[in-house]
Each structure stands twice: as structure tokens, then as C-alpha cells.
Amino acid sequence: MFEIKHTLCPSCSVGCGINVILDSEEIVGTFPYKRHPINEGKNCSNGRSSIEIFEEKLTFDSKVLDDVVGKLKSCDAEKVTAIFSGNNSNEDLEAIKSLCESKGFNILAYDNNLKNFESVASYDDVENASNLFVIGNILYENPLIGRRIVRAKANGAKVFVNDELANSPTANIADEFTSVSVKEFLDSNDIGEDAVIVFNKVDSFEDLDLIASAGSKVLPVYSKPNSKGAFNLVDAISKEDAEELLKNTDVLLVFNEDVVNEMDFDFKSISQIVAFSPAKNDTTEIAGFVIPIKSWLEEDGSFTNSEGLTQEFKSALESDNMGIAEVIGKINGDAE
């Protein structure tokens, strides 16, 4: 029997709605959430393929969790670091933060060298802008924000694009295209208060201060569904600071993140990696301990998207695995 469940897309921070199709409690496909206000009935290819995670799903083993609890009891808290990933819900991030604060563990929050901006442009601001300054290949990597940029251009906006790829979809709609440093791009353009800067990457953490000082509205578009929610809770750090923290880490707790593919770092140099993941990935392959957890389709929660809108989602499937908050509850309970 076919059934349709509404949820949120986990492929980036735009916050699109998506429908999953179930056949006798088994996911068989997706199609766009026609009435969702963010994506208005469209989903990109990344969103449509987001259910492929279930092809590599992991099964929980309580003994492994017991071993992790024992490991955390005996280690030096100052040498334990937890990855604070925007792949997790606000509720799970609160649990991770609470664990780290109570145990004295380090928190590593990182997403493409981006950080939180308290005041951000809305998607409507992007669509209604008269001048748009775009850093990165937004149309390819975040198509539903790209759609707003295309609409703005159709409405008469002038679009300035800075990216490495001269023939990218974003470059192809530019009125002016450059492939220079972010600093040079900002310095060489007269960016007024009526402009909007949209970006999903920068050259360095310092570029974020330059963007903030431009005097225009800004919209950072993160690579994960809840990076905005994560950075509302803890401060993001630069790539350099993240690497330095990892060099001084003996035990790395990776919560729902394939950090091996996220950062260019020799993770095999870390003594012990504990991966909390719903499915196999490159990080689980090198981890000493793997704790299977629920995916976003198997629990209730909320994500905060790039424009600051917090949206709730409900579980679409039952699961025998525990959620992150449940696992942390077990760790706290057994460690006391």
C-alpha cells in the first residue's frame, strides 16, 4: 500500500519541503511538496536523491554503545572533540551541546568557512533585489535559491557573479562575471544598501568580516540543512582553527556527519573516532566505534534554514535505532 509523507529536504540549508513515497513501510521514491512555500513545488536532484542513504543503513548493537561509554569514562575530556554538524536537528544539537558542556568536551562547528550572521536577507529580498552579488555556483549547488536569482534578473536586477567556473550555470546568467578573490570582488564593486550579497563559499574566514561591512543585506547559504541552527547555538570556527583543534584531539565524536569528505585532514591520525551515523560512509569506514542512529526520516525535529526560518518535521518511518538525544541520554546515564 502506497503512502505519502511530508518532510524537509536534508541536502542543503534552503529548507525545501519534500514528499517521500512509502510502499508497505519501505521508501521507494520522492516527489516535490507542491504546497511548500520555500520551493513552491520544485526539488533539485540532490533533494530527490536524499533517500539513497537507506541503501547503506546501519543496525544498532548495544554492546558497541557500552564500549563507547567505557572509553569516554577513561579519556581526558580536554582531548575529546565533538563535531557539531548542521546535519542534525535543533533538538539533537541541544543534546550534543549539553553533553559537551557537562563533560568538558570540545565542540567543532564548521561549514565551508562560513559562520552565523544574526541578520540575514530573506529569499524574497533576493528575488526583489535591484543588484545581486553572488559568490559561488549557487544555481548548481543551491538551485532553489538560484531560482530566486533568476527571477530577480527577469525583474530587471543586475547580477554580479564571482566564482572559479566561468561556464557554470551561475556564471551564465551573470551581467558581469569575475574569477578573483572575494576581497577583490568586494573591493572592485560599488555595493550599496539596496544590494544583496548571496554566497555559499569564501576564500577565508576574514572575508566574512568584509561581507558584513559592505553595508548591504547578506545571505549565507550553508551546505547542510541546519547549519544556521547550529551556529545559533555555538560559534563557527575557521578551517585553520578546526584543523588545529583536530590535531590536539585524541577522541573524535562524529554526530551524523561524513567528516572525512568534509575536510581535508588526515583523520587516521586521531587515536579514536566514534561515528554516530544512520548509514555507512567514509567516516564510518575508518571509525573505531560506529553507533547507528535514526535518520531525519525516522524522528521528529526541526531545522532552521538559511533565512532563519525554523520548520518542524515529523518522522516518516519507524526505526529500531535510537536518536542522538537518546544515545546521549544513555551515555550520561551510564557515565554518572
Side-chain angles (χ1 to χ4, degrees):
M1 178 179 176
F2 285 100
E3 188 177 7
I4 296 170
K5 294 290 184 72
H6 305 306
T7 187
L8 296 177
C9 178
S11 65
C12 76
S13 65
V14 177
C16 298
I18 194 168
N19 289 322
V20 293
I21 307 169
L22 306 178
D23 182 9
S24 301
E25 293 297 315
E26 185 173 327
I27 296 178
V28 295
T30 69
F31 73 95
Y33 190 165
K34 297 296 184 183
R35 297 189 303 278
H36 197 274
I38 300 296
N39 50 306
E40 301 170 333
K42 301 288 184 181
N43 286 125
C44 70
S45 60
N46 289 334
R48 293 192 295 271
S49 63
S50 60
I51 61 171
E52 292 177 2
I53 186 175
F54 283 90
E55 295 176 5
E56 299 290 337
K57 192 176 176 187
L58 297 166
T59 303
F60 179 73
D61 181 348
S62 60
K63 183 181 183 303
V64 178
L65 180 55
D66 292 339
D67 291 341
V68 170
V69 171
K71 179 69 178 178
L72 293 177
K73 281 181 180 179
S74 61
C75 63
D76 181 357
E78 293 183 354
K79 294 289 187 177
V80 179
T81 297
I83 300 294
F84 204 72
S85 170
N87 285 330
N88 299 304
S89 68
N90 287 306
E91 295 74 17
D92 286 340
L93 289 173
E94 289 277 10
I96 296 169
K97 181 181 179 182
S98 178
L99 171 71
C100 292
E101 290 178 342
S102 66
K103 304 297 183 186
F105 299 161
N106 302 298
I107 295 178
L108 194 163
Y110 174 83
D111 188 342
N112 286 345
N113 249 350
L114 302 182
K115 67 177 181 180
N116 191 36
F117 284 73
E118 290 188 11
S119 177
V120 297
S122 69
Y123 300 162
D124 287 342
D125 287 334
V126 173
E127 187 170 329
N128 295 319
S130 56
N131 290 291
L132 279 171
F133 295 85
V134 182
I135 303 170
N137 191 5
I138 298 286
L139 266 70
Y140 179 78
E141 295 169 15
N142 310 102
L144 276 305
I145 295 292
R147 191 181 187 204
R148 302 292 183 121
I149 295 172
V150 171
R151 284 180 179 175
K153 185 176 175 68
N155 291 336
K158 192 167 184 180
V159 180
F160 304 80
V161 173
N162 187 58
D163 190 36
E164 298 170 354
L165 303 174
N167 294 316
S168 72
T170 310
N172 288 336
I173 69 159
D175 292 291
E176 293 186 18
F177 174 81
T178 55
S179 184
V180 297
S181 69
V182 171
K183 183 180 186 305
E184 187 176 348
F185 176 64
L186 297 173
D187 288 345
S188 62
N189 287 289
D190 183 16
I191 303 175
E193 293 182 356
D194 61 340
V196 177
I197 304 174
V198 184
F199 58 101
N200 62 11
K201 68 176 184 178
V202 291
D203 298 326
S204 70
F205 215 53
E206 289 72 25
D207 289 337
L208 301 175
D209 292 331
L210 297 176
I211 291 172
S213 65
S216 65
K217 293 181 178 179
V218 301
L219 180 66
V221 185
Y222 307 104
S223 65
K224 304 180 184 68
N226 198 37
S227 290
K228 175 69 172 173
F231 297 161
N232 283 339
L233 290 171
V234 302
D235 292 334
I237 63 176
S238 68
K239 179 181 178 181
E240 291 76 17
D241 287 345
E243 290 177 347
E244 188 62 29
L245 179 55
L246 290 170
K247 288 177 183 177
N248 291 287
T249 295
D250 288 339
V251 179
L252 184 66
L253 308 178
V254 184
F255 291 97
N256 197 17
E257 178 65 81
D258 189 3
V259 72
V260 169
N261 281 324
E262 175 74 6
M263 297 182 65
D264 184 17
F265 182 82
D266 180 16
F267 285 94
K268 290 183 179 179
S269 66
I270 297 175
S271 298
Q272 195 65 256
I273 295 177
V274 182
F276 301 82
S277 178
K280 293 179 182 178
N281 56 42
D282 288 344
T283 302
T284 64
E285 289 300 305
I286 68 168
F289 299 100
V290 178
I291 307 295
I293 56 171
K294 292 179 180 178
S295 73
W296 96 102
L297 282 174
E298 296 167 323
E299 62 178 352
D300 300 343
S302 66
F303 291 150
T304 302
N305 72 356
S306 283
E307 65 174 348
L309 175 65
T310 298
Q311 303 180 88
E312 294 182 353
F313 55 91
K314 298 294 184 182
S315 63
L317 288 171
E318 295 292 328
S319 174
D320 293 330
N321 291 340
M322 291 189 289
I324 286 176
E326 295 174 276
V327 170
I328 289 175
K330 292 285 187 181
I331 292 173
N332 281 327
D334 288 341
E336 291 174 357

